[in-house]
Amino acid sequence: MIKILDILSKEHGPGAYPGRSSEGLSPEWDPSPFHVLMATILSQRTKDDNTRKASDALFGRFDSAEAIASADVNEISELIRPAGFPMQKGTALIKVCKILAERYGSEVPSDTEELLSLPMVGRKTANCVRSYAFGIQAICVDTHVHRISNLMGLVSTRTPDETEFELVKITPENRWSDVNRYLVRHGQTICLPNNPRCGRCPVADMCDGRR
């Protein structure tokens, strides 16, 4: 696993983060927990580009937990429409922001269990927030990580949660956050779901699913 991460880090630079790619990413970019939480909730059941469009529109109009907490759900839903399920996600974002404002002083908690208590926050979202926003080593398993890990034969699992627990066993803790950072970017650019570019893949010789 270490060898794969080292190779992909050279291939993909800073890697990816929720709602963005590494293209145009400044080395000084420092994501806030609020932005990462909102973007990762928006990323559920949609494509990366849709998440980017929705989060850009949302943050362009509402850029704090207090602002979203008091916003009209119809306006929020319209802004995030590109991410799909606009009313469901819009309602959840408002509920999350109200909890943050009322319970945490508008700050996003870093504790896993506290994050999991928030609406529409599962292990993927909680780990993304911990990893990207707080710098805590965590393996965030989204569709890219789950798919590529199984394709390469690193794990043999049915669910993202199972994939997380198996990857923990084979990845040194100081590299946990690199799993999402590089496998997501790899899935966005080379190991595409429908037309993988195996001829361009720098880790093809270590992949069980190479073509």
Side-chain angles (χ1 to χ4, degrees), residues 4-61:
I4 291 171
L5 293 175
D6 286 344
I7 292 172
L8 294 182
S9 70
K10 295 177 182 178
E11 178 75 19
H12 301 303
Y17 60 98
R20 296 289 186 275
S21 73
S22 61
E23 295 177 358
L25 178 59
S26 166
E28 293 79 28
W29 182 79
D30 185 23
S32 74
F34 169 72
H35 287 108
V36 175
L37 176 59
M38 296 293 103
T40 310
I41 290 174
L42 288 173
S43 75
Q44 297 175 22
R45 293 177 291 172
T46 194
K47 296 180 180 179
D48 301 306
D49 190 51
N50 294 335
T51 302
R52 179 187 57 78
K53 291 176 182 176
S55 58
D56 281 351
L58 178 66
F59 300 145
R61 176 70 179 85

Side-chain angles (χ1 to χ4, degrees), residues 190-205:
I190 295 177
C191 192
L192 305 174
N194 297 320
N195 296 296
R197 300 165 179 170
C198 297
R200 288 180 48 195
C201 180
V203 293
D205 61 339

